Structure formats: structure tokens, C-alpha cells
């Protein structure tokens, strides 16, 4: 499938056409070296795979997908690609675009409300060619959004003595539920990084 776009790239710089081909070929679950650490690619792969699923389901029935189904799927993907830096949710009244910064803020606040979390930060990952920095320098690096799908990573310091495996599970559930509730987007993954443990307050 071919999707035209002015620059043809995700926010991380990865070529959109390559990711679309990967999804169309049934390899959405595979990750190359860049994709294994890129939240933007995770979100794009999950969203494109979801949008392409009607075509895949018809193909599995050994029937030729009607041109109308193919065109509807492609049109939805075109819309998503044109707004690569935002979550995109449609309704009968129009479109709502949600910045990745909003997802990061919701995720951080949600994580901080989980008992056992001392502090939750946006983890900063410089993009291609970017200089290193702090969480405040690029909060958008802690999440990826594509269409109605998002991926999130939260770095936190925990209270000493907390069961960290259980804490990670509780943070994931809390963040996913809150992001889903407030944005309408579906968290494809929520990664939790425990960076430190702190003693009594």
C-alpha cells in the first residue's frame, strides 16, 4: 500500500512507507533495532495494524478484499499519517487532535497517584541528531501517538521496601486506564522504568 505525505516520516524520522509495508506484510509484531526502543514506531505499528485489520481478516477468508474496504482503510491511514505528531480521534462533528505532551502529563500524574511511587518523571530520549537533555527539555519523548493509539514510558522512584514488580503492574494499569478515560486513545503499551528507591520521607 502507498500513502502519500509531504515528508513521509514519523516524528522520530522513520520512513512511514516502510512501516506500512511491514504491517501489510503481517510483520507488525517484529521490531528492528530502532523500533525496539522507539515509542513513535510502537504507536504507529499498533495503529496501522489496527486500521489494516479489516483487510487482513478478509484476506484470511481467501476472498479478494473489495476496493471499498481497501480504500476506507487507506483513507483512515492517510488521515493518521498527516497528523503524525498528534493523536487523532474522529466523530461526526469533526476531529480532535491530542498532543503527545498531553499524554505524557496524564501518564505522569496518574503514576504519581499510585501508592509506593515517590516521584514519576517523563523519561527523555533524544531523537535523531538531538542533543541530550532533561525530562523537561522534551516531554514528548516519553510517549508516542498515532491516530487513536499511544505508547507510554514512565520513569519513577519508588518508596524503599515496595514490591517493585507489583508496583509496575499497578502503575501500568493506572496509567492505561487514565489515558484511555481522558483522551479516548488506546495505550498499546505502558513501560515502567524504576530508576531509584528512596527511604522515609
Amino acid at each position: 500500500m502507498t500513502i502519500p505525505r509531504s515528508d513521509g516520516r514519523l516524528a522520530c524520522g522513520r520512513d512511514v512507507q516502510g512501516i506500512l509495508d511491514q504491517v501489510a506484510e503481517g510483520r507488525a509484531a517484529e521490531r528492528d533495532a530502532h523500533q525496539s526502543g522507539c515509542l513513535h514506531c510502537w504507536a504507529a505499528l499498533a495503529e496501522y495494524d489496527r486500521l489494516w485489520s479489516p483487510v487482513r481478516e478478509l484476506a484470511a477468508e481467501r476472498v479478494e478484499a473489495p476496493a471499498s474496504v481497501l480504500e476506507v482503510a487507506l483513507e483512515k491511514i492517510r488521515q493518521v499519517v498527516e497528523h503524525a505528531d498528534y493523536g487523532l480521534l474522529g466523530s461526526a462533528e469533526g476531529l480532535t487532535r491530542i498532543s503527545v505532551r498531553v499524554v505524557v502529563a496524564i501518564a505522569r500524574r496518574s503514576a504519581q497517584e499510585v501508592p509506593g511511587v515517590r516521584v514519576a518523571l517523563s523519561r527523555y530520549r533524544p531523537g535523531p541528531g538531538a542533543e541530550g537533555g532533561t525530562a523537561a527539555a522534551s516531554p514528548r519523548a516519553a510517549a508516542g501517538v498515532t491516530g487513536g493509539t499511544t505508547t507510554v514510558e514512565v520513569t519513577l522512584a519508588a518508596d524503599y521496601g515496595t514490591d517493585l514488580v507489583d508496583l509496575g503492574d499497578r502503575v501500568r494499569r493506572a496509567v492505561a486506564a487514565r489515558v484511555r478515560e481522558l483522551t479516548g486513545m488506546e495505550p498499546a503499551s505502558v513501560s515502567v522504568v524504576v530508576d531509584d528507591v528512596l527511604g522515609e520521607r
Side-chain angles (χ1 to χ4, degrees):
M1 53 179 165
T2 303
I3 305 294
R5 189 190 174 210
S6 55
D7 60 5
R9 298 194 176 277
L10 296 177
C12 63
R14 182 51 68 96
D15 178 57
V16 167
Q17 187 62 55
I19 292 182
L20 290 169
D21 290 342
Q22 182 177 340
V23 169
E25 292 166 7
R27 298 183 292 107
E30 297 178 13
R31 302 285 188 271
D32 61 23
H34 168 85
Q35 291 169 343
S36 65
C38 179
L39 298 172
H40 300 291
C41 286
W42 292 1
L45 283 164
E47 179 72 354
Y48 299 166
D49 189 53
R50 182 182 69 81
L51 295 175
W52 193 248
S53 63
V55 177
R56 186 169 49 251
E57 289 167 7
L58 284 172
E61 295 176 8
R62 299 180 181 273
V63 296
E64 185 175 340
S68 59
V69 173
L70 206 60
E71 191 51 44
V72 166
L74 288 171
E75 181 55 36
K76 287 181 179 178
I77 292 174
R78 284 190 194 99
Q79 252 189 351
V80 167
V81 169
E82 288 171 4
H83 301 274
D85 296 338
Y86 290 85
L88 190 67
L89 300 166
S91 70
E93 290 77 25
L95 294 175
T96 300
R97 296 194 308 162
I98 300 174
S99 167
V100 69
R101 290 197 239 1
V102 172
V103 176
V104 169
I106 293 169
R108 186 171 55 240
R109 177 68 64 89
S110 302
Q112 285 177 321
E113 293 172 354
V114 175
V117 173
R118 179 71 63 89
V119 62
L121 305 169
S122 304
R123 191 176 190 202
Y124 174 54
R125 277 197 189 144
E131 298 296 327
T134 64
S138 181
R140 59 187 297 159
V145 294
T146 301
T149 303
T150 183
T151 55
V152 181
E153 182 176 277
V154 177
T155 299
L156 58 86
D159 287 329
Y160 180 78
T162 300
D163 180 335
L164 300 181
V165 174
D166 176 65
L167 180 64
D169 288 341
R170 287 188 286 118
V171 169
R172 266 187 290 277
R173 287 195 298 270
V175 169
R178 198 68 169 150
V179 168
R180 194 179 289 118
E181 175 190 355
L182 295 181
T183 69
M185 287 191 281
E186 183 60 32
S189 72
V190 177
S191 299
V192 177
V193 179
V194 180
D195 220 23
D196 203 353
V197 290
L198 304 175
E200 294 183 6
R201 296 174 188 270

